Amino acid sequence: MRINRWRMFFAFLGPVAVASGASMGVVSSYSTTHNYLFNVPGPFPTVSVFRYAVNTRAFEPAPGWDVHNRSGTWAIVGPGSFSTTERAGTDRPTAGFVDAGATASVFGNVTAWGAGLYSATMNASGIAHANLVGNRANASSSMSTMILRAGWNWRAGRFVWRPVIVDQVSGNAAAVGNRPRVVRNRDPIMVRGLLPDGSEDPAFVDSFFDVFLEMSGGGSWDDAGLRAIDAEGPLDLKLSLVRESPFVAGVPGRLDLQVVDGMVTQSVATGPFSGVGVPPVGTMLGGSLDLPGLSNLNDSIFAFDYDLSNWGERELMFEFSGGGASDIPEPAALMLIGVTGTMLLRRR
């Protein structure tokens, strides 16, 4: 008699955000929220955890660096919330600091737990500021949710992903030479089949939904749609949304939009993205873009049913995650980079 073992591993890798400040009276703040809802039939796993990290640094030439970091794990056994904050420099306050400071925080809240329903909100937020030449500060924070030991009945269900991203920058944020891209996000929703020894089976890998966003300035993404703005000059932007998995119900499609020096150079929108209203190639946008059709409440895009039954009875691993990256400026660059996103996920 053949005995089957099934194990499922869910990793919801939530918001990571980074803000850095340099001289010229620069202040940067960020807030990244990811709302997840997972609905499947049958029993719910018995354990889940939040994993978090908060990092702050402030620099003034006389005292030097003030660095404060914290990371850890918070166990989830039902609805509840968790939060933590770190501060550096004048935000702590620290002896000898009169200008530069940083604060970083994370917050997680499980709102539904059990009967096949998991709903959670994760937020990373912070602020970095430095007014005097030679002073620097930066803050970063991240949070992930991992749901362990779910059964084979989770092979089919419904997933909802809601981004809420807000970046704000004040002061002179211009770099010497080329302006950097200051926001880089990636949010793939991956599923992998596992071999009997628990390793990944390369024949069973798929991405339900993949998001990539890179902008040259701040912006926001919420129930009003996606808005990008570059106060320093013409907008540069790359946006890619892909939903082409054969295991996801509905019409497959993708959105690819690229803006260079304020002009649209690539514009593709098919399937569920065809009604978003992306501007055509050749459109001059200047320093801003507004896409209300990308509201995070648009369930034709951000909510979907999936079914992996054709993979057969096997162990599975799901990863719901995202990525963000920033280039911290050299002290002589006199610039600011603010990033809102999530930890970089390698796609195999």
Side-chain angles (χ1 to χ4, degrees):
M1 179 178 64
R2 183 168 63 96
I3 299 176
N4 292 316
R5 288 190 311 112
W6 309 293
R7 181 185 65 181
M8 300 188 74
F9 173 86
F10 296 86
F12 298 77
L13 188 55
V16 166
V18 179
S20 64
S23 58
M24 298 185 179
V26 174
V27 178
S28 175
S29 65
Y30 63 82
S31 176
T32 304
T33 301
H34 283 240
N35 301 303
Y36 296 98
L37 186 149
F38 208 98
N39 195 352
V40 299
F44 197 72
T46 57
V47 62
S48 182
V49 297
F50 279 141
R51 290 184 175 174
Y52 63 90
V54 288
N55 306 279
T56 56
R57 301 194 308 162
F59 175 82
E60 295 183 16
W65 283 102
D66 183 37
V67 179
H68 296 276
N69 305 318
R70 183 185 304 176
S71 60
T73 300
W74 180 67
I76 306 167
V77 294
S81 61
F82 169 84
S83 64
T84 190
T85 299
E86 280 291 343
R87 297 177 174 87
T90 57
D91 289 12
R92 193 165 180 88
T94 304
F97 276 78
V98 296
D99 173 45
T103 299
S105 303
V106 292
F107 170 77
N109 185 30
V110 177
T111 55
W113 174 280
L117 181 65
Y118 176 88
S119 178
T121 296
M122 294 175 290
N123 173 264
S125 61
I127 185 170
H129 54 89
N131 295 297
L132 304 177
V133 174
N135 295 349
R136 300 174 63 190
N138 49 70
S140 66
S141 43
S142 64
M143 178 170 279
S144 65
T145 303
M146 301 177 65
I147 303 178
L148 310 174
R149 297 192 295 274
W152 172 245
N153 56 290
W154 284 55
R155 67 190 180 276
R158 183 171 179 82
F159 185 78
V160 181
W161 179 85
R162 309 273 193 214
V164 181
I165 296 172
V166 179
D167 279 340
Q168 296 179 343
V169 176
S170 64
N172 190 341
V176 177
N178 294 330
R179 291 174 296 118
R181 300 185 187 277
V182 301
V183 179
R184 185 177 296 122
N185 303 326
R186 187 175 179 213
D187 280 283
I189 300 173
M190 302 294 295
V191 58
R192 297 181 174 91
L194 303 182
L195 296 169
D197 63 359
S199 61
E200 297 176 14
D201 187 340
F204 294 91
V205 179
D206 194 66
S207 173
F208 287 160
F209 188 41
D210 206 339
V211 178
F212 178 83
L213 172 63
E214 187 177 74
M215 297 186 293
S216 63
S220 60
W221 192 359
D222 51 30
D223 58 2
L226 173 66
R227 299 172 298 281
I229 185 168
D230 190 338
E232 299 299 321
L235 180 69
D236 288 331
L237 177 143
K238 289 183 180 180
L239 174 64
S240 176
L241 308 177
V242 181
R243 244 185 62 178
E244 297 179 335
S245 168
F247 306 105
V248 172
V251 178
R254 65 185 302 134
L255 185 154
D256 291 298
L257 178 65
Q258 181 167 336
V259 181
V260 178
D261 288 334
M263 185 178 76
V264 178
T265 59
Q266 182 181 15
S267 179
V268 177
T270 64
F273 307 106
S274 58
V276 168
V278 295
V281 172
T283 302
M284 290 300 301
L285 299 176
S288 64
L289 171 68
D290 189 3
L291 292 177
L294 276 182
S295 164
N296 62 16
L297 299 179
N298 187 345
D299 283 352
S300 65
I301 296 175
F302 297 111
F304 55 83
D305 299 314
Y306 72 92
D307 191 342
L308 300 169
S309 298
N310 290 338
W311 274 11
E313 297 181 357
R314 61 173 56 245
E315 295 182 336
L316 299 172
M317 181 174 71
F318 288 77
E319 295 186 48
F320 305 89
S321 55
S326 70
D327 298 320
I328 303 300
E330 294 295 326
L334 302 182
M335 58 181 284
L336 175 145
I337 298 177
V339 173
T340 301
T342 51
M343 286 184 292
L344 182 63
L345 173 70
R346 54 188 171 81
R347 178 172 181 178
R348 301 186 178 182

